[in-house]
Amino acid sequence: MNHPKARLRLRSAWATTALLALLGLAPAPLAAQEGAAAVQDVTVNDVVIPLGGTLLKAPKLTASGTRLSKEDLAAILRPDSSVPWEQRLARLDAGSLTVPVLTSENAGPGDNRQTVTYRDVVARDIRAGRVGELTAAGATVSSVAGPNRGSGTYGQVRATDLDLAALSRLYTVPGDGKGPVQRVYGTIQVSDVTYSDARGTTVKLARLDGRDLGGRQVPDGWAGAFAIVANGFDGSGDRRPLAAAAADLIDATSVGSLEMQGLSVSDTDPKGPVLFEIGRAAYTSTGAEGGTTLDNLSLTRGPLRIRVGRVAALGTSLAPTVATLQGIAAEPTGGAGFSDVEMRRLTPKLGTLTLTDLTVDLPPEAEPERVPPRDVRPPVRGALPEPRHPASPCARRRSPSGRRPRACPARPASASPA
């Protein structure tokens, strides 16, 4: 399961994406025969849109190439409109939409909070609810997850072929989870991501690329399902809603391909700093290379070094994970948490795992202290060890000429052997 901070960021990211969809509101299609004089720029201020547990704020929004009046655009952006977002988005066209500052404030579960502020958001070529290109110059992130606080930054964000109507349906309209896959993004790129928390953990990502991302409508809507999952990980309540929502989201998500480059996780552990790096991580859903590959992995902790050239996991399936979650969701009575046996059953099925170019550098072992060798030879018969007496003052005192002082008796001559 995901870490609480990861769940908080994921939930907020989908909510923020939904806001970007809402910002795709523009006038009805421009007809060439109606004349270019009808085209104008319209600006509305202080746009506030509640979306589940996320509050979306745009102090200023400008629609260019639109025939809507300021009042018309303000009415479309009104959060209490009786017309569903899906219907409003599907009939709107515009040359571009510009939002200098876009803020997503996500609250919950509990005291958790996350704020993401995007700069210079621009949507271009909006036609019938589709955006040709969506960009943001960058973003800042601040979050509170229990006692832990963190902050970070994003570089440029870019998406193409964004279907705003499909995004709105997935996020807000319930379904049975068995309908057709609705593609939301043609491509998406995020660069230069850095995030650090108060515990000393820092995550960096040079680049993320995704292609053909979408999904199916689920019974609680994606917004409702994410809320259930986020609130269900405290382990104190009935686990069945959590299992059902997680199974729906996993089974409904569709990813053509994902690739990460330059991923690193560092930690200032008291036992020694830890650095884990992946040069490239890629997932492809189809084809000969279908599966997950990790290139140029390394783990460093003090003098320990572990390096792996490539890890390839092909034929991986989440079907056992989904089936186990669905079985838990169908239980007649609910419990809290998951047992060790259930956690093993939640493990995805692995077809083929290949590991190449493994190198391990272990820290050198400390050499034991050398003890001088003992003399094990037996003593000579009749020989007695020479007694050791502390040196007398006379032995230490000599005159400059080398003679003993008069007060010291002369040493007797040794007897010559017979």
Side-chain angles (χ1 to χ4, degrees), residues 327-378:
I328 295 173
E331 292 175 343
T333 58
F338 298 93
S339 67
D340 292 341
V341 174
E342 290 168 335
M343 292 301 296
R344 288 193 292 269
R345 291 175 180 171
L346 288 170
T347 304
K349 176 185 176 181
L350 182 62
T352 303
L353 178 65
T354 305
L355 187 149
T356 58
D357 298 332
L358 171 64
T359 308
V360 180
D361 297 333
L362 297 175
E365 296 183 2
E367 294 186 1
E369 183 180 356
R370 293 183 177 272
V371 180
R374 296 178 58 187
D375 189 356
V376 297
R377 294 175 299 176

Side-chain angles (χ1 to χ4, degrees), residues 33 86 103 108 118 146 181 192 243 310 416:
Q33 64 271 21
E86 176 190 357
T103 302
Y118 296 89
V181 172
D192 299 327
R310 165 170 280 206
S416 58

Side-chain angles (χ1 to χ4, degrees), residues 145-198:
N148 196 22
R149 296 175 179 270
S151 61
T153 58
Y154 294 169
Q156 187 180 44
V157 180
R158 180 177 182 268
T160 62
D161 196 12
L162 171 60
D163 190 336
L164 305 175
L167 177 61
S168 177
R169 282 193 298 270
L170 291 177
Y171 201 79
T172 62
V173 180
D176 60 5
K178 301 177 182 179
V181 172
Q182 302 177 51
R183 193 179 75 162
V184 176
Y185 291 100
T187 65
I188 185 169
Q189 298 95 33
V190 183
S191 61
D192 299 327
V193 179
T194 301
Y195 183 84
S196 301
D197 65 17

Side-chain angles (χ1 to χ4, degrees), residues 85-99:
W85 284 114
E86 176 190 357
Q87 296 181 21
R88 285 178 273 171
L89 291 170
R91 63 182 179 82
L92 298 177
D93 289 8
S96 67
L97 288 169
T98 303
V99 182

